[in-house]
Amino acid sequence: MNAESRPFDDIRALMGQMPSPNEAAMAEARTRQTDLTKPAGSLGRLEEIAIFMAGWQGDRPHVDNPLVAVFAGNHGVVAKGVSPFPQSVTQAMVANFTSGGAAINQICKAFDISLKVYELALEQPTGDITEEPAMDERTCAGSMAFGMEALASEPDLLVLGEMGIGNTTAAAAIYHALYGGAAEDWVGRGTGLDDAGLERKAEAVHAAVARHRSQIGDPLDVLARLGGREIAAIAGAILAARIRRTPVLLDGFVVCSAAAILQALDGTALDHCLAGHVSAERAHAAALRHLGKTPILDLGMRLGEGTGGALSTAIVKAAVACHNGMATFAEAGVAGKEG
């Protein structure tokens, strides 16, 4: 890095290297779908998912090495009473993940998905965004680079999750900064806020965006000033997956705030991503509309941890299994549609 370069310059350079899907592989997958022993289009979105996977993997679609990557961070804004739980719960839940006691552990076991948990300086919460930036540029860029390590094991499908007391406040601030509206439009009850807590949360989001407004004209500055280490790491993982042509399943409200940063930088940045589910967090559906993503599942979940994304992996696996395993009309000796 030369004397005039900034930490975000490397991120911007990677954004300029994002590959496109393999059109030939997608065309081959579409052709195969028309040859399978079923009426055309009868598997609905499963067909679309299989073609999507083929396009990014550049071959027959496959889900042989899926990974759920959960990133954990702590947030200084918790001091403003935006969560009913203390920051210590983040570390306790990371320990729960490690010991196999969380919901995400059970879902990963049920569908044979690997799970890795990444801690980001839990002993050092980000700055209180109502009073100061969450991170400086170097810390934010470093957190993004750390998130890229989720691709080291070369998963063929990456599911992203998070854990961090207070991180729905940071996510709401990101959405408010990027998409406008009132702060109240973007806040929800998170881990179970009462009405007074919900009001404090909205006030914190409004105060944070107002405080940093003059310095968040760039999406990466939005991330640094209003986000969190785990949110930055997730953004880094999404970008690294794109460079490697690895399909991504986005989880809930917080994960999608990281995705929103990348989309704000480049409208095509999320072409390799699917929305695993729409959560019950009030503004997640609105966020998905801004991202242009239709969720695979809607189960009223709002846990985080990557749980919705992990569950949707089962649907992706089913789509791929049907695509690869079904017989064609010729193989089955079944007459195809005439005319």
Side-chain angles (χ1 to χ4, degrees), residues 204-292:
V205 169
H206 174 77
V209 174
R211 182 177 187 87
H212 300 286
R213 176 64 72 185
S214 65
Q215 296 166 297
I216 53 175
D218 181 271
L220 289 174
D221 290 328
V222 172
L223 177 61
R225 288 181 168 269
L226 300 176
R229 290 186 183 89
E230 81 277 36
I231 298 175
I234 291 166
I238 294 171
L239 178 54
R242 176 60 170 269
I243 298 301
R244 295 185 62 90
R245 298 180 183 270
T246 302
V248 170
L249 284 172
L250 304 172
D251 191 47
F253 185 73
V254 176
V255 167
C256 286
S257 73
I261 296 294
L262 297 178
Q263 187 195 54
L265 287 165
D266 186 318
T268 69
L270 305 181
D271 286 359
H272 64 307
C273 300
L274 298 173
H277 78 134
V278 57
S279 80
E281 185 70 4
R282 185 174 67 177
H284 190 215
L288 288 174
R289 286 194 293 273
H290 279 280
L291 296 178

Side-chain angles (χ1 to χ4, degrees), residues 47-303:
E47 299 182 19
E48 298 172 11
I49 290 171
I51 294 166
F52 164 88
M53 293 290 288
W56 286 105
Q57 294 174 334
D59 200 352
R60 279 274 186 110
H62 51 88
V63 186
D64 301 320
N65 185 32
L67 171 68
V68 172
V70 178
F71 295 93
N74 270 322
H75 296 259
V77 73
V78 169
K80 293 298 188 288
V82 299
S83 173
F85 293 97
Q87 290 175 347
S88 59
V89 170
T90 303
Q91 182 67 66
M93 281 304 299
V94 167
N96 195 28
F97 299 148
T98 302
S99 65
I104 188 59
N105 299 97
Q106 317 321 314
I107 295 171
C108 286
K109 288 178 184 177
F111 298 112
D112 194 23
I113 309 169
S114 297
L115 171 65
K116 292 186 179 179
V117 182
Y118 299 85
E119 299 180 46
L120 290 106
L122 298 184
E123 73 288 349
Q124 185 180 358
T126 53
D128 179 348
I129 59 175
T130 67
E131 299 179 1
E132 61 182 326
M135 299 168 282
D136 59 25
E137 183 173 325
R138 185 170 297 278
T139 299
C140 185
S143 297
M144 294 182 75
F146 180 77
M148 294 178 183
E149 294 182 14
L151 280 297
S153 63
E154 300 185 359
D156 55 10
L157 179 65
L158 178 64
V159 183
L160 292 166
E162 45 65 37
M163 176 62 210
I165 297 301
N167 65 8
T168 58
T169 301
I174 288 172
Y175 291 126
H176 183 34
L178 292 178
Y179 302 141
E184 290 79 5
D185 296 337
W186 297 105
V187 299
R189 296 189 184 275
T191 51
L193 281 173
D194 58 16
D195 289 344
L198 190 64
E199 185 175 345
R200 290 192 299 271
K201 187 174 182 178
E203 290 172 352
V205 169
H206 174 77
V209 174
R211 182 177 187 87
H212 300 286
R213 176 64 72 185
S214 65
Q215 296 166 297
I216 53 175
D218 181 271
L220 289 174
D221 290 328
V222 172
L223 177 61
R225 288 181 168 269
L226 300 176
R229 290 186 183 89
E230 81 277 36
I231 298 175
I234 291 166
I238 294 171
L239 178 54
R242 176 60 170 269
I243 298 301
R244 295 185 62 90
R245 298 180 183 270
T246 302
V248 170
L249 284 172
L250 304 172
D251 191 47
F253 185 73
V254 176
V255 167
C256 286
S257 73
I261 296 294
L262 297 178
Q263 187 195 54
L265 287 165
D266 186 318
T268 69
L270 305 181
D271 286 359
H272 64 307
C273 300
L274 298 173
H277 78 134
V278 57
S279 80
E281 185 70 4
R282 185 174 67 177
H284 190 215
L288 288 174
R289 286 194 293 273
H290 279 280
L291 296 178
K293 300 295 180 185
T294 301
I296 294 174
L297 299 174
D298 181 357
L299 299 175
M301 298 170 63
R302 54 179 179 85
L303 179 59

